């Protein structure tokens, strides 16, 4: 229901803004721009779905090998002490726990192409446990909010963009982004836990948090002891080794368990094709809504309005230049990347605003895209408080990103 209101709001606001521009500014081309944006966004949605088809087919095929060989069950049993605390409604040992772990691991490594198919597989498994097929369950909401909070260890793509834009040290946003995305994820988990009455103060969760803190400390120490170029090279290499290692591990495990890995792969690949087709309508709906919202100039008005209000308080408004990226990232990943690049072009890659736009881009993920695709893949239309919790995580990431950027780069 929330997504319904948000989708309608995109079109209503875009129409009002365009009408005002036509009447008061004499802009006779604005409605042509809006119509063209619907065509372009619809085409982009289909191309994204088409591009996902092969990835979905491949990774769901690999996941099916894991199911048939029992590897997913083994993973879920190994991780059950922690995941069962965060997802108490999922039975212990259920394959969904293994799929959730694989998805979150891929996201943390910045492997978006692998994470989406694994996440859609997890949603299918969670839907099997859902007594009301059109309504989001508690585990679905927790899973998607963790996804939208965008916890990532190494923001490879952002560092790559900074390098292309001529940044002197493309990896200088690494630690600020890592801190910011961790805050966003912790806020998201906390908000969902409060709404679902999940107790986070237990041995398993606290041990995990302690482990994460130790890992982050070691990662920061490594970052400070090697050159920026070496860090970028090794981060990409390690991520790719892990990704290919997972593929080989699943195949070898299947052969060891004497499963027919080829037939299992084909069976899973067929599911991937069907999933890609199912998400097309949902993707078209939201990308078109976002497209007309941007094309009408509503996003610019929103950002300028925030800057004006902040200016009235006497607070430094330098950060306003990074707000387009911060606000767009909840709506569109490619749109946020475009605005991030535009900000670096306008202000300079090594400016405070240029760096801040990169940090807030990595603070969290594309909330509306993820909710539309993931819920759409299983036919869930009543999302309950998933949007609210996701946006709270987003908002905390924006605030943290701005503050931390000032601390590191001002």
């Amino acid at each position: 229901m929330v997504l319904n209101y948000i989708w309608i709001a995109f079109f209503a606001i875009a129409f009002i803004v365009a009408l005002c521009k036509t009447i008061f500014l004499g802009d006779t081309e604005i409605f042509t721009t809006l119509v063209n944006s619907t065509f372009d966004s619809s085409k982009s949605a289909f191309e994204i779905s088409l591009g996902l088809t092969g990835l979905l087919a491949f990774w769901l095929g690999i996941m099916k090998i894991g199911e048939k060989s029992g590897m997913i069950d083994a993973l879920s049993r190994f991780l059950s002490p922690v995941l069962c605390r965060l997802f108490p409604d999922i039975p212990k040992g259920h394959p969904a726990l293994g799929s959730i772990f694989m998805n979150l691991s891929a996201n943390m490594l910045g492997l978006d192409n692998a994470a989406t198919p694994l996440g859609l597989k997890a949603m299918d498994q969670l839907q099997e446990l859902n007594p009301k097929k059109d309504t989001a369950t508690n585990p679905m909401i927790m899973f998607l909010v963790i996804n939208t909070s965008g916890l990532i260890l190494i923001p490879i793509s952002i560092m790559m963009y900074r390098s292309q834009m001529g940044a002197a040290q493309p990896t200088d946003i690494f630690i600020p982004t890592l801190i910011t995305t961790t805050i966003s994820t912790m806020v998201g988990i906390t908000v969902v836990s409060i709404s679902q009455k999940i107790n986070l103060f237990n041995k398993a969760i606290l041990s995990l948090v302690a482990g994460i803190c130790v890992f982050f400390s070691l990662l920061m120490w490594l970052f400070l002891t090697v050159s920026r170029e070496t860090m970028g090279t090794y981060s990409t290499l390690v991520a790719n080794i892990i990704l290919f290692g997972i593929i080989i591990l699943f195949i070898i495990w299947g052969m060891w368990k004497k499963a027919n890995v080829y037939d299992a792969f084909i069976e899973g690949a067929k599911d991937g094709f069907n999933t890609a087709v199912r998400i097309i309508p949902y993707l078209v709906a939201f990308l078109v809504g976002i497209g007309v919202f941007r094309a009408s100039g509503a996003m610019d008005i929103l950002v300028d309005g925030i800057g004006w209000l902040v200016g009235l308080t006497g607070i430094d408004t330098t950060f306003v230049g990074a707000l387009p990226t911060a606000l767009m990232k909840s709506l569109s990943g490619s749109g946020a990347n475009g605005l991030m690049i535009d900000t670096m072009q306008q202000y300079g890659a090594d400016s405070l605003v240029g760096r801040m736009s990169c940090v807030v881009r990595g603070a969290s993920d594309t909330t509306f895209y993820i909710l539309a695709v993931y819920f759409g893949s299983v036919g869930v239309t009543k999302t309950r408080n998933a949007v609210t919790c996701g946006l709270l995580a987003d908002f905390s990431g924006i605030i943290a990103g701005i503050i931390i950027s000032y601390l590191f780069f001002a």
Side-chain angles (χ1 to χ4, degrees), residues 266-281:
I266 296 300
E267 182 182 346
K270 291 179 181 178
D271 293 337
F273 179 81
N274 294 332
T275 299
V277 172
R278 286 202 307 271
I279 69 175
I280 290 175

Side-chain angles (χ1 to χ4, degrees), residues 59 63 72 75 79 97-107 114-115 118-119 246 250:
W59 281 102
M63 289 296 290
I72 299 298
L75 274 174
L79 297 164
L97 294 175
S99 299
I100 289 172
F101 170 75
M102 297 293 289
N103 165 264
L104 298 181
S105 298
N107 271 326
L118 297 172
I246 289 171
F250 271 60

Side-chain angles (χ1 to χ4, degrees), residues 137-154:
T137 61
N138 284 347
M140 286 181 179
I141 294 172
M142 174 65 83
F143 174 55
L144 291 189
V145 169
I146 294 175
N147 263 270
T148 61
S149 66
L151 179 61
I152 182 171
L153 298 182
I154 306 172

Side-chain angles (χ1 to χ4, degrees), residues 82 85-86 142 186-194 197-207 209:
V82 172
R85 300 290 186 178
L86 292 177
M142 174 65 83
M186 292 303 178
V187 169
I189 292 175
T190 302
V191 169
V192 176
S193 297
I194 292 173
K197 296 180 173 60
I198 297 174
N199 179 21
L200 296 179
F201 295 97
N202 56 76
K203 183 178 179 180
I205 299 296
L206 294 177
S207 298
V209 171

Side-chain angles (χ1 to χ4, degrees), residues 266-390:
I266 296 300
E267 182 182 346
K270 291 179 181 178
D271 293 337
F273 179 81
N274 294 332
T275 299
V277 172
R278 286 202 307 271
I279 69 175
I280 290 175
Y282 300 91
L283 204 53
V284 169
F286 261 87
L287 288 190
V288 169
I290 292 167
V292 298
F293 186 78
R294 289 183 62 193
S296 69
M299 176 63 78
D300 295 332
I301 293 173
L302 177 62
V303 171
D304 291 341
I306 294 173
W308 178 76
L309 289 173
V310 172
L312 293 178
T313 66
I315 298 175
D316 177 33
T317 59
T318 303
F319 72 90
V320 173
L323 283 184
T325 302
L327 298 176
M328 181 54 64
K329 69 182 175 57
S330 297
L331 304 174
S332 167
S334 58
N337 288 338
L339 289 171
M340 177 183 70
I341 292 170
D342 182 68
T343 302
M344 286 191 283
Q345 287 176 332
Q346 182 178 353
Y347 295 93
D350 291 327
S351 65
L352 171 60
V353 177
R355 287 165 165 161
M356 187 183 294
S357 67
C358 296
V359 174
V360 296
R361 172 64 186 94
S364 58
D365 216 326
T366 49
T367 299
F368 291 107
Y369 171 86
I370 289 174
L371 294 180
V373 170
Y374 280 54
F375 280 134
S377 69
V378 293
V380 169
T381 56
K382 299 176 182 178
T383 59
R384 297 171 57 203
N385 62 343
V387 175
T388 304
C389 294

